[in-house]
Amino acid sequence: MATTVVPTQANQYVRAWVNQMVDLTRPDKIIWCDGSVEERERFYEQGCAEGIFVRLNPRKWPGCYYHRSNPNDVARTEHLTFICTPSPDAAGPTNNWMKDKDAYEKLTELFRGCMKGRTLYVVPFVMGPIGSRLAKVGVQLTDSLYVVQNMGIMTRMGEVAWSQLGQSNDFTRCLHSLGDLNPRRRFICHFPFDNTIWSFGSGYGGNALLGKKCLGLRIASFLGRQQDWMAEHMLLMGIENPGPDGRSEKTYVAAAFPSACGKTNFAMLVPPQKYAQKGWKVTTVGDDIAWMWVDEKSGRLHAINPETGYFGVVPGTSATSNPNAFESMKRDTIFTNVGLVPLEDGTYDIWWEDSGMPEPSRCINWEGKEWTPTLARETGIKAAHPNSRFTAPMWNNPALDPRVNDPSGVPISAIIFGGRRSRTIPLVYQAFNWVHGVYIGATIGSETTAAATGQVGVVRRDPMAMLPFIGYNIRDYLVHWFRMRKKMVDCPRVFMVNWFRKNEQGKFIWPGFGENMRVLKWIVDRCHGRAYARETVLGWMPRAEDIDTEGLNLSSQDIALLEFVDPDEVKSEILSQEELFLKLAGDLPKEMIFQRELLISRL
Ligand code: GTP
Ligand code: SPV
Ligand code: MN
């Protein structure tokens, strides 16, 4: 078997485990990745030769590549995702469970010899700023060059991981194979007690880039509960503005919205001109995952972004809707499942719906089929899949926060929850206190999206936007959230937002995107004890005059509807929470029951 030189820094535990997995999977060749620029170039060249990547026109898209995944493999598959533990109680009622022993047995048979004729890449990576107390090392073994290149963008990949690991055995063992991409032989299995992930049969996103949802949320949330920290599906952003004394003020907030509900867009918000002129500026720390702990010195919640890239939703992303994302993806980016446009000079361009780029006369769509504007009109065929993605290095983001690499993280003043709700939930309200805030987060309802396979547009409960990502029993997860309060001297204020309320014509009422700055300003002002609010059944809400709507094309009716709370709808909302409460049954933390009763009594 051919192998590249084993790096001297890779310790005995890593070597022993790699040998074991090589014996199981039987690759023809082993490549230990070093994470260098030369290596990345070499891999792209090889990937283009093998048909995994298409190089895009280097003048228009320098360093950018196109990839199309198998049409049956275009989103996370939650029904094929398992938490594997000795007993089902450790996984809890919201996770699919397999007995760990059975899962190892089943997947061992799938992995046995699965890399014959293929190359196994050893991908060492660090999650989190180097030197941070929460920085974690993972090693992913994979037979997908596409995965390697994505991991190179999304994590601190390469030799840096060996030095971070030193002689320790404390790393996440991530085994991945494309297998034959048959959904019936697709399993994404987590073994939290062994710090191990085995993923078979998918090459896409959260199923295959094991640093992201598998390690970054499922394994990390499990570890966080044991070690007193939190791993959350949250963006992190900084807001800079002139303070009341004229000096610049900086506030950091974290926000949890379910998949494809606006985290990347909010994290990269560009303030409308009149705010920018007054000195308001937003910077991005992270767009998907936050790891948080209570800082001993300040008693405040601090957060890091464990990733180094954005794996963002493409459709709808344009120079107007999200200029910072658009700028980030202009170079060194991988585009997955968008439309591929052959140009006359033999090079390639790309296109997607609502990109703001001129519509091509034809392209090859995400399924590899011919697409033309006429076909699109007649058949509804899309150029880009609704869950098509860009993988861009965060270093490209013009609004990157200067503290993204800070090992001590950023202090969090507010936690914002949100969901995609066409009815019921108003534009913004604030929790009365932490416990109430945890209840609000735990009962988020959101309409399902294309980020996971399954029906789109049905409201489901998605506690803390973490339903598919909690790596252990949700009962213990909620208790962990309630208990965090006791560890903090000064705890973040908690808010709920909804950008997606619709009017009778089925149109979004709120303009969203950059205009969300107006809501964010109220939130920041509330954190600093400046803005006014009135008490309602749901929580503290701004009066109409407390949110700046000047210059927006909103009627007074629209504005009233944005913040309207219909007691009957709130009653149905409480009833629909029953689904989650019943799942938890006798395990429901008592604070949840008290909070619901308080809400009912306020009604
Ligand atoms: P994941 O990467 O799946 O976790 O998604 P995300 O939460 O980062 O969502 P993202 O920012 O990529 O947005 C998802 C979709 O919501 C895109 O189609 C956006 O155009 C749309 N969207 C984002 N923000 C807003 C908003 O303020 N208003 C409206 N109407 N749509 C928005
Ligand atoms: C999500 O679905 O929340 C994502 C995309 O961020 S994936 O990496 O596929 O999980
Ligand atoms: Mn996400």
Side-chain angles (χ1 to χ4, degrees):
M1 189 183 322
T3 175
T4 55
V5 182
V6 181
T8 48
Q9 279 183 296
N11 73 34
Q12 50 164 329
Y13 302 108
V14 172
R15 289 164 189 238
W17 172 67
V18 172
N19 286 339
Q20 222 183 327
M21 295 302 110
V22 164
D23 280 345
L24 173 63
T25 56
R26 298 269 146 209
D28 280 14
K29 197 173 163 193
I30 303 167
I31 295 182
W32 291 73
C33 301
D34 62 19
S36 65
V37 177
E38 298 75 49
E39 179 183 77
R40 181 182 314 175
E41 293 297 313
R42 205 165 58 240
F43 284 166
Y44 273 131
E45 236 150 76
Q46 183 193 331
C48 289
E50 291 175 5
I52 299 167
F53 290 111
V54 175
R55 187 189 305 275
L56 297 181
N57 181 299
R59 248 174 309 119
K60 194 154 182 219
W61 302 100
C64 294
Y65 293 82
Y66 166 86
H67 172 81
R68 194 160 63 231
S69 65
N70 190 305
N72 79 27
D73 189 27
V74 293
R76 281 182 297 102
T77 43
E78 295 178 1
H79 59 295
L80 306 175
T81 301
F82 293 84
I83 302 297
C84 308
T85 51
S87 85
D89 185 68
T94 54
N95 281 310
N96 301 312
W97 174 77
M98 251 196 267
K99 195 173 178 58
D100 47 1
K101 201 169 135 283
D102 296 349
Y104 279 130
E105 261 169 36
K106 192 184 192 110
L107 270 75
T108 294
E109 289 323 305
L110 294 172
F111 276 111
R112 193 183 301 286
C114 73
M115 295 194 194
K116 273 184 197 145
R118 300 185 187 178
T119 300
L120 179 150
Y121 299 88
V122 182
V123 183
F125 61 96
V126 182
M127 303 294 289
I130 304 301
S132 171
R133 58 190 264 172
L134 291 187
K136 298 260 170 289
V137 173
V139 182
Q140 178 161 356
L141 310 183
T142 179
D143 53 12
S144 160
L145 198 54
Y146 169 76
V147 166
V148 175
Q149 298 297 70
N150 275 273
M151 290 294 285
I153 298 173
M154 296 303 293
T155 70
R156 293 166 174 87
M157 193 266 259
E159 273 165 1
V160 60
W162 301 133
S163 41
Q164 173 80 19
L165 185 61
Q167 292 312 304
S168 167
N169 189 15
D170 188 13
F171 65 96
T172 308
R173 290 157 162 80
C174 308
L175 176 63
H176 170 253
S177 174
L178 296 171
D180 58 3
L181 294 177
N182 183 337
R184 278 181 305 178
R185 281 189 290 281
R186 181 174 295 161
F187 293 95
I188 296 89
C189 288
H190 305 70
F191 303 87
F193 291 105
D194 304 335
N195 199 2
T196 293
I197 302 157
W198 282 17
S199 165
F200 189 89
S202 167
Y204 192 74
N207 287 344
L209 314 176
L210 301 188
K212 199 172 180 52
K213 297 311 188 350
C214 299
L215 193 174
L217 289 177
R218 298 195 190 94
I219 296 288
S221 63
F222 171 88
L223 294 173
R225 158 134 195 287
Q226 294 179 328
Q227 303 163 358
D228 268 343
W229 54 279
M230 308 167 92
E232 297 295 334
H233 193 198
M234 289 179 177
L235 67 94
L236 293 168
M237 73 206 283
I239 304 111
E240 220 177 283
N241 56 277
D245 56 2
R247 271 189 306 184
S248 175
E249 178 179 89
K250 182 101 186 216
T251 312
Y252 286 96
V253 307
F257 310 156
S259 299
C261 290
K263 285 183 301 302
T264 301
N265 279 275
F266 196 46
M268 297 183 179
L269 186 153
V270 176
Q273 213 174 11
K274 84 170 187 195
Y275 283 81
Q277 277 164 355
K278 285 188 201 147
W280 287 77
K281 197 179 148 196
V282 170
T283 49
T284 317
V285 181
D287 80 325
D288 200 51
I289 300 180
W291 288 356
M292 311 194 284
W293 72 98
V294 179
D295 177 70
E296 279 95 13
K297 254 191 282 162
S298 63
R300 295 182 68 186
L301 201 59
H302 277 230
I304 54 166
N305 167 15
E307 302 187 290
T308 55
Y310 309 121
F311 186 65
V313 175
V314 169
T317 306
S318 71
T320 16
S321 73
N322 190 344
N324 289 328
F326 206 74
E327 198 54 40
S328 302
M329 58 169 84
K330 277 189 176 157
R331 55 203 147 87
D332 304 322
T333 293
I334 300 170
F335 292 90
T336 307
N337 296 339
V338 299
L340 181 68
V341 186
L343 299 174
E344 271 172 14
D345 63 0
T347 64
Y348 289 91
D349 194 357
I350 43 172
W351 188 81
W352 59 88
E353 279 76 15
D354 299 317
S355 57
M357 301 190 288
E359 193 178 64
S361 59
R362 64 169 288 256
C363 79
I364 302 154
N365 89 336
W366 64 274
E367 296 167 288
K369 291 185 184 154
E370 175 81 11
W371 176 99
T372 63
T374 320
L375 270 174
R377 265 191 304 278
E378 285 167 2
T379 66
I381 183 180
K382 297 260 190 236
H385 185 274
N387 192 38
S388 53
R389 299 265 168 173
F390 62 90
T391 320
M394 68 177 179
W395 322 111
N396 285 357
N397 181 357
L400 192 66
D401 190 87
R403 283 173 75 177
V404 279
N405 275 320
D406 190 339
S408 55
V410 296
I412 300 301
S413 297
I415 289 177
I416 306 171
F417 293 115
R420 184 181 280 272
R421 293 300 296 272
S422 31
R423 306 168 61 87
T424 315
I425 306 299
L427 181 64
V428 61
Y429 61 95
Q430 182 184 357
F432 294 122
N433 51 51
W434 179 263
V435 177
H436 182 221
V438 175
Y439 169 79
I440 289 173
T443 53
I444 292 177
S446 194
E447 290 151 21
T448 49
T449 65
T453 51
Q455 210 186 340
V456 168
V458 291
V459 174
R460 73 166 182 185
R461 293 299 128 191
D462 191 346
M464 277 72 182
M466 280 285 282
L467 179 71
F469 309 121
I470 304 170
Y472 58 104
N473 195 315
I474 187 172
R475 163 198 71 209
D476 302 330
Y477 173 79
L478 294 178
V479 169
H480 185 42
W481 261 90
F482 284 119
R483 283 199 190 143
M484 284 307 284
R485 172 70 192 94
K486 302 199 180 76
K487 303 185 206 320
M488 290 184 269
V489 177
D490 182 12
C491 77
R493 312 295 184 264
V494 182
F495 299 84
M496 179 78 194
V497 299
N498 177 24
W499 314 140
F500 300 95
R501 199 165 190 169
K502 290 182 176 169
N503 62 16
E504 268 117 55
Q505 288 76 50
K507 290 250 156 49
F508 293 124
I509 310 170
W510 182 248
F513 301 98
E515 305 299 349
N516 293 334
M517 183 70 240
R518 299 161 186 267
V519 174
L520 187 57
K521 177 182 185 300
W522 183 76
I523 290 174
V524 168
D525 284 342
R526 288 294 294 170
C527 290
H528 295 286
R530 293 192 290 254
Y532 195 86
R534 69 195 159 92
E535 196 178 330
T536 73
V537 290
L538 292 180
W540 295 105
M541 281 177 66
R543 301 165 303 177
E545 62 266 40
D546 296 320
I547 299 277
D548 166 30
T549 50
E550 187 203 60
L552 298 179
N553 195 9
L554 288 176
S555 66
S556 53
Q557 268 161 309
D558 287 338
I559 294 172
L561 186 53
L562 278 170
E563 287 288 40
F564 179 57
V565 181
D566 180 340
D568 286 331
E569 284 190 351
V570 175
K571 273 179 211 154
S572 339
E573 185 69 11
I574 296 171
L575 283 176
S576 68
Q577 293 171 4
E578 207 54 23
E579 168 201 344
L580 175 73
F581 280 58
L582 283 174
K583 262 194 181 166
L584 277 146
D587 283 341
L588 199 64
K590 61 181 188 314
E591 292 91 337
M592 291 288 290
I593 300 166
F594 291 156
Q595 284 299 322
R596 184 173 56 171
E597 275 169 11
L598 282 172
L599 174 56
I600 293 169
S601 70
R602 285 197 299 272
L603 273 170

